[in-house]
Amino acid sequence: MAITLENAEESFTSTQMINKKTILFGLAFFGILAIIVYPTKFGRKIRQKTKMELLGTGLIQPKIEPNSLKAEEIGFNYEGSLLSIKGIPIKLEDFKGKTLFINIWASWCGPCRAEMPYINSLYEKLQENQNVEFLMIAIDEDFEKSKNYISGKNFIFPVYHAFEGLNSSLDTKSIPMTVVVNAEGKVIFKDKGMNNFDTEDFRTFLLTQRKTSK
């Protein structure tokens, strides 16, 4: 049976229409699925996994726009103590006058573990600076688990245990949480969720806080 040019054109047009309908149906299906799944626990896991994969690409960075924390720029609560990795209680007030990079984490927290290499590399670059202090505060019930995880990964940043709990400035329902306090005792950055903090902009952000200190 011969196929005429007219029949071929009609067949091609019909195929195009079917393909368009299939694509539109597929887009609609996945759109509806995304709306249903997005707010669920499964959706959160997908978003978390995707963010973990993107963490090292440079596409995920902390947002440090000027005045982004204007509403939250409040005094930091220096009440309470932390337990050092050597088992020595350290008062938070001992860190007054320094720029503080504070991270709340736990050894069982996947997002916490994902961002730690970047925090460690940030610390390696700034550890000689006397104006910046890192407080990596573990909330594991058993501090030995925190210490074993850190030593197993060869991280060198200072680790503390929230053995007295977390005060009003650090208390959080989700981790990781990162807080930056300037030398004047003001909370100037607060971020919940994992991030790549080892960027030039964020390093500059930390280092320039001392210029506004009294």
Side-chain angles (χ1 to χ4, degrees), residues 106-120:
S107 62
W108 45 261
C109 167
C112 301
R113 297 195 299 267
E115 71 175 1
M116 277 196 175
Y118 306 101
I119 296 176
N120 191 65

Side-chain angles (χ1 to χ4, degrees), residues 21-146:
K21 287 181 179 179
T22 303
I23 292 170
L24 290 173
F25 176 80
L27 290 174
F29 174 78
F30 284 109
I32 293 170
L33 183 64
I35 292 171
I36 294 172
V37 171
Y38 188 86
T40 67
K41 186 176 181 180
F42 180 66
R44 289 193 295 273
K45 285 184 177 180
I46 293 175
R47 297 197 300 276
Q48 187 180 96
K49 181 65 175 177
T50 302
K51 194 172 183 181
M52 284 182 178
E53 296 295 331
L54 292 173
L55 205 57
T57 65
L59 296 174
I60 296 177
Q61 297 184 17
K63 296 179 180 179
I64 49 174
E65 294 92 343
N67 300 321
S68 62
L69 260 187
K70 191 171 182 180
E72 293 187 45
E73 193 171 349
I74 57 175
F76 178 72
N77 181 1
Y78 287 96
E79 293 180 357
S81 299
L82 303 171
L83 195 67
S84 76
I85 203 165
K86 294 181 178 180
I88 302 172
I90 307 292
K91 293 181 179 179
L92 275 171
E93 63 182 16
D94 291 344
F95 296 103
K96 283 185 176 180
K98 300 288 186 72
T99 296
L100 305 180
F101 176 93
I102 304 172
N103 183 268
I104 312 298
W105 67 281
S107 62
W108 45 261
C109 167
C112 301
R113 297 195 299 267
E115 71 175 1
M116 277 196 175
Y118 306 101
I119 296 176
N120 191 65
S121 59
L122 172 67
Y123 176 74
E124 288 177 335
K125 294 178 177 70
L126 302 183
Q127 61 181 315
E128 300 299 328
N129 190 293
Q130 300 299 312
N131 299 298
V132 181
E133 293 281 352
F134 281 66
L135 306 181
M136 298 294 293
I137 303 175
I139 61 171
D140 284 293
E141 186 174 345
D142 183 358
F143 193 26
E144 288 302 314
K145 292 182 178 180
S146 313

